Amino acid sequence: MQTESLPPSRRGVHARRPRLLWLMLALLGSLSACVPPSGPAPRVPLAAPFGTVGGSRPARPQGLQAVGEFGDGVWGLAQERAEFLGFGLSYAFDDRVEVGGIVWATTRGVINSAGNEHTGQPTYGIRAKARLTDFGSGGGAVGVHLAYMTSHYEEDVQDERLHALDLAIPFALYPLSRDGPDHRLSLYAGPRLVLQSFRDQFTQVTATGTAAGALAGVAARWRGLRFAGELTVARTPSLSDDTTSFDGGWIALPMASVRLVF
């Protein structure tokens, strides 16, 4: 039997076809790997800072102050620790009331639902503090601190808003001096509650909870500067959305501030 053989040029074409096919498949695979995966965008948690209370009375008797803060708060439904840097202004009236506004930004990223780091969203706040009464012949005072915070993030599958209300009742002592309304040093402590509400417009899910605990701190002045450092220890609430539940627990949150008096 006689077999038919191909010419050398035809044999080379048939030999190159499998290699060419594998090359095309590899090229298609690499191109598909560069296409971003489809599906819902990762969710980004919002955060509530635990700003400085700074004692029971205004940081100065009267006038405008610039405020800088650095410290901790909690992230979203999981109530994990977050770090913040805040800047704002406040004004004091007659050594009785102080009101102001502040913006906090995160100083480190947060892990979103896809396991990636996100810089987080700014949190905006307005707050007020009032000295309620003095005791001990001016050696102490009782005050009330109230702050409202809000943050918002909107993306493909997330339109979430945070609303938080911060309430504290500090009791202060002035151990070193009693030089009228502008005490050089104060030690203070008192109960603290932070009520939080997370509302997602897409899923129509609302999660609410209260972090309850206490704070303690020290406030001092030096020339045109006012300093405060404090620690809040609170039990965070158990929160849940439509898919996941998060258990509450104890957390310690430090915060410090410096004020420039004008």
Side-chain angles (χ1 to χ4, degrees):
M1 179 182 299
Q2 186 176 2
T3 59
E4 181 180 359
S5 60
L6 293 174
S9 61
R10 297 291 296 171
R11 286 200 303 268
V13 171
H14 281 273
R16 287 195 300 270
R17 282 180 179 174
R19 298 177 183 176
L20 183 59
L21 178 61
W22 283 111
L23 181 61
M24 293 178 63
L25 290 176
L27 180 60
L28 289 174
S30 63
L31 290 176
S32 63
C34 297
V35 177
S38 59
R43 297 178 63 85
V44 175
L46 304 179
F50 282 50
T52 52
V53 173
S56 300
R57 64 198 314 144
R60 66 170 304 184
Q62 186 82 22
L64 183 66
Q65 308 157 64
V67 184
E69 291 188 347
F70 176 75
D72 288 353
V74 289
W75 279 117
L77 297 178
Q79 298 289 279
E80 297 176 346
R81 183 185 306 277
E83 292 181 355
F84 294 92
L85 183 63
F87 295 97
L89 294 172
S90 68
Y91 196 90
F93 301 89
D94 196 28
D95 193 35
R96 178 66 65 175
V97 176
E98 181 179 341
V99 296
I102 190 168
V103 178
W104 289 281
T106 56
T107 57
R108 67 176 179 181
V110 60
I111 303 302
N112 60 25
S113 61
N116 302 318
E117 190 175 66
H118 189 276
T119 55
Q121 296 300 110
T123 303
Y124 303 92
I126 56 174
R127 54 191 181 181
K129 181 169 62 177
R131 176 170 57 92
L132 300 179
T133 185
D134 293 324
F135 61 85
S137 300
V142 181
V144 59
H145 158 91
L146 186 64
Y148 169 76
M149 296 169 282
T150 184
S151 184
H152 178 218
Y153 183 76
E154 183 176 359
E155 198 45 72
D156 294 342
V157 296
Q158 182 181 4
D159 184 3
E160 189 171 346
R161 295 179 183 272
L162 160 72
H163 302 285
L165 190 65
D166 180 9
L167 172 65
I169 302 177
F171 295 78
L173 297 174
Y174 310 107
L176 296 184
S177 64
R178 299 179 182 180
D179 52 351
D182 203 9
H183 296 275
R184 295 183 182 275
L185 180 71
S186 69
L187 307 176
Y188 59 92
R192 187 174 203 173
L193 300 174
V194 179
L195 293 75
Q196 303 175 65
S197 173
F198 299 89
R199 171 71 175 177
D200 195 307
Q201 299 298 119
F202 285 153
T203 61
Q204 298 301 310
V205 172
T206 300
T208 60
T210 301
L215 63 89
V218 56
R221 68 178 176 88
W222 180 74
R223 296 185 178 179
L225 298 177
R226 304 293 186 269
F227 305 94
E230 65 186 49
L231 179 69
T232 297
V233 178
R235 181 169 180 82
T236 57
S238 299
L239 297 173
S240 63
D241 56 15
D242 54 345
T243 60
T244 311
S245 297
F246 302 93
D247 294 330
W250 289 98
I251 190 170
L253 304 170
M255 182 71 80
S257 71
V258 59
R259 296 168 182 259
L260 175 63
V261 173
F262 294 102

